[in-house]
Amino acid sequence: MIDPIIASRLQFALTTIVHIIFPVMSMGLAPFLIYFTWKDVRGGDPVYEQLRRFWTKIFAVSFVVGTVTGIVLEFEFGTNFAAFSTAAGELFGGPLAVEGMMAFMLEATFLGIFVFGRERVSDRLYMISSVAVGLGTWLSAVWILIANSWMQTPRGYEVATENGQTIVHLVDPIAAYLNPRFGFMFVHMQNAAVESVALFMAGVAAYYVYRHHVWGYPVEHIAFWQKTLKIALVALLITAPLQVLQGDLYARHVYETQPQKFAAMEAVWDTEAYVPEYIFAIPTDLSQLTDPRAKELFGIGIPGGASWLASGGDPTAEIRGLNSFDSEAPPVAIVFWSFRAMVGMGFWFILLAFWGGYRWFTGGLFEDGLLHKALMGSSLLGIVAVELGWIVTEVGRQPWVIQGVLKTSEGVSPGLTGTEAAITLAGFVGVYTTLLALYTYVVARIIRNGPPGSDEIESMPDPTPDQETPAGVSSDD
């Protein structure tokens, strides 16, 4: 029915594309929730309790669905990529196991206290629970990215052949786990998560602010949405420029460690110098859409920009072309256009951040309808940019599953048939589409219901601040 290699890659791509939405939401919300909790525990403005309670609901839903969809990914290593698991299990299995035992258990243990324990534990323990939950989400990223970054720049291993099978043995755990790519990936991913959530918060808040201040409709809890918009803009002003600046360093590192991927990102087929960096590119015919070539495209670019990016400052630097590599080129069109779209969004987010910051400074933040529309339209673009970034990362590495060590075609389960792969692919399309639809419905319903009112907050019993109360026991007992 279908090549099992293609079906397996499509299935893993589908499950990853859907799954990554939920970790982005939970990791991005974590620092916000810690801040909201700190402000709430300190007392004063009740809006921070509203913020904490409202966004905790979305965090909890994201955590639950992310857990369900994430477990499936680990099973797919065995069902669809058994040869890869056999070859790299010694290096790859360790970080995944530690992620479950350390990060997931830390997050899951304290999540119950954080979601349900505000009235049952002291302020100190509740604050600790918020930090523990946030730390757990970020520790999960540490171990997952250690595993993935090793696949990009493998270190600390030696290759052996056992019973005709290529086996990768771990010889230096420090070199393997702290490989050159890890730091770049971790900073880029975590900053992207916070930026994505800031865009989402800003877009949702802008909708209600627009209805109230521009349309003149009465909106309940408008102070809540105004505070949300301001906090989101502060986060955007920090994360949007940082993402582009760190992305510049990241791209240079890719050129140094994966030159074939970099050539695909810039559509450089023949080794040449003074290669432009296209911020915006348009194919003039269908062939340029499916087979882009850097110097034949029409667009807005920086002359010598790609050479400058690769070399760290020399616009005349030479970039090695795809035709000069022995291995087959990755799907260049997918990598090139995904990278263009991601970079374009990155600069748009900077514009949004400074636009919002300027309107806030001049006192027109709540009356600028055009800004509100731009924020609403961009509310999900942060997540889209994350998806595109991972497409560049994974598709750009092809044909390798472990760079320079094992090809993707060699990592697929040898006994898997095309019929089996096609059936499971179809099943996953249905299941994951349903899960995504349900998640969207629940989050939309939470947003429509809005934050808790002042009457709900005032009716809640106060926790005992000076005495630690065991979880599950009311402070009134």
Side-chain angles (χ1 to χ4, degrees):
M1 294 178 64
I2 188 174
D3 186 341
I5 297 174
I6 295 175
S8 296
R9 291 174 64 180
L10 287 174
Q11 179 177 304
F12 200 86
L14 165 73
T15 49
T16 304
I17 285 171
V18 175
H19 167 72
I20 196 64
I21 296 170
F22 315 118
V24 166
M25 290 298 292
S26 58
M27 292 186 304
L29 277 169
F32 289 101
L33 291 176
I34 293 172
Y35 173 70
F36 297 156
T37 304
W38 175 66
K39 294 288 285 186
D40 176 29
V41 166
R42 290 184 64 193
D45 193 342
V47 74
Y48 288 103
E49 182 171 353
Q50 289 181 303
L51 286 163
R52 174 187 59 78
R53 292 178 64 185
F54 177 82
W55 291 106
T56 295
K57 293 177 184 178
I58 295 178
F59 176 92
V61 174
S62 302
F63 172 81
V64 170
V65 183
T67 301
V68 172
T69 55
I71 289 174
V72 173
L73 289 173
E74 298 194 13
F75 279 101
E76 285 183 283
F77 289 121
T79 58
N80 293 73
F81 294 94
F84 163 75
S85 300
T86 300
E90 190 172 315
L91 283 105
F92 202 77
L96 297 185
V98 174
E99 186 266 339
M101 292 185 294
M102 176 195 291
F104 177 77
M105 293 307 297
L106 175 66
E107 188 177 4
T109 299
F110 282 93
L111 184 63
I113 299 174
F114 183 62
V115 174
F116 303 111
R118 182 67 183 102
E119 303 82 48
R120 295 176 171 84
V121 299
S122 70
D123 287 348
R124 183 184 300 115
L125 180 55
Y126 192 74
M127 186 69 226
I128 291 172
S129 73
S130 71
V131 174
V133 168
L135 180 62
T137 63
W138 282 47
L139 278 176
S140 288
V142 167
W143 292 105
I144 295 300
L145 292 177
I146 282 175
N148 187 274
S149 62
W150 179 82
M151 295 166 66
Q152 310 287 336
T153 53
R155 299 289 189 277
Y157 71 97
E158 62 181 18
V159 177
T161 302
E162 299 179 6
N163 299 321
Q165 169 76 47
T166 298
I167 302 295
V168 179
H169 290 299
L170 177 64
V171 296
D172 187 345
I174 300 299
Y177 296 160
L178 298 181
N179 61 80
R181 179 62 52 83
F182 169 69
F184 290 96
M185 291 188 77
F186 181 76
V187 173
H188 206 64
M189 180 63 207
Q190 300 311 99
N191 191 73
V194 177
E195 183 181 19
S196 298
V197 168
L199 284 162
F200 181 74
M201 294 173 69
V204 173
Y207 169 75
Y208 287 101
V209 171
Y210 180 79
R211 282 175 59 88
H212 185 80
H213 289 281
V214 180
W215 279 0
Y217 292 162
V219 172
E220 233 183 333
H221 315 300
I222 189 60
F224 170 89
W225 296 114
Q226 290 174 174
K227 178 69 75 171
T228 300
L229 180 57
K230 287 181 176 180
I231 291 173
L233 280 176
V234 170
L236 269 181
L237 283 166
I238 297 170
T239 56
L242 176 60
Q243 191 72 352
V244 171
L245 292 173
Q246 196 269 343
D248 172 74
L249 299 175
Y250 189 178
R252 193 168 306 148
H253 170 72
V254 170
Y255 172 75
E256 294 169 353
T257 56
Q258 292 178 298
Q260 188 176 27
K261 177 189 289 187
F262 188 88
M265 289 161 53
E266 302 297 344
V268 178
W269 289 88
D270 298 314
T271 301
E272 51 190 323
Y274 203 65
V275 179
E277 176 66 38
Y278 284 104
I279 305 300
F280 178 75
I282 300 176
T284 56
D285 57 52
L286 184 61
S287 66
Q288 290 184 354
L289 179 64
T290 58
D291 184 23
R293 296 174 183 270
K295 292 197 172 182
E296 298 176 6
L297 292 166
F298 173 79
I300 300 173
I302 304 171
S307 296
W308 182 89
L309 182 66
S311 64
D314 181 7
T316 64
E318 188 176 79
I319 294 180
R320 185 178 174 188
L322 290 163
N323 291 331
S324 67
F325 293 92
D326 294 332
S327 60
E328 62 185 283
V332 177
I334 296 175
V335 178
F336 177 80
W337 294 114
S338 296
F339 185 65
R340 298 278 83 66
M342 181 188 66
V343 170
M345 288 180 193
F347 283 103
W348 168 243
F349 300 155
I350 292 177
L351 176 61
L352 272 181
F354 283 97
W355 182 5
Y358 172 75
R359 295 299 289 152
W360 185 359
F361 178 75
T362 57
L365 176 61
F366 301 141
E367 289 76 30
D368 192 337
L370 184 60
L371 171 63
H372 301 159
K373 291 178 182 178
L375 289 171
M376 284 187 274
S378 303
S379 57
L380 298 179
L381 289 186
I383 294 174
V384 173
V386 170
E387 301 278 17
L388 292 171
W390 276 106
I391 289 172
V392 172
T393 299
E394 296 303 297
V395 178
R397 189 184 62 232
Q398 300 305 316
W400 304 99
V401 64
I402 305 174
Q403 184 70 46
V405 178
L406 185 71
K407 290 189 174 182
T408 305
S409 58
E410 299 168 344
V412 174
S413 302
L416 185 66
T417 66
T419 301
E420 293 169 338
I423 291 172
T424 58
L425 173 60
F428 275 109
V429 168
V431 171
Y432 272 61
T433 301
T434 302
L435 280 173
L436 184 58
L438 288 172
Y439 174 80
T440 303
Y441 169 77
V442 171
V443 171
R445 184 167 180 175
I446 291 172
I447 293 171
R448 282 198 304 269
N449 290 339
S454 56
D455 54 334
E456 295 178 67
I457 293 175
E458 290 171 0
S459 66
M460 294 169 57
D462 292 330
T464 304
D466 301 324
Q467 178 180 342
E468 292 287 340
T469 306
V473 179
S474 171
S475 59
D476 297 331
D477 292 344

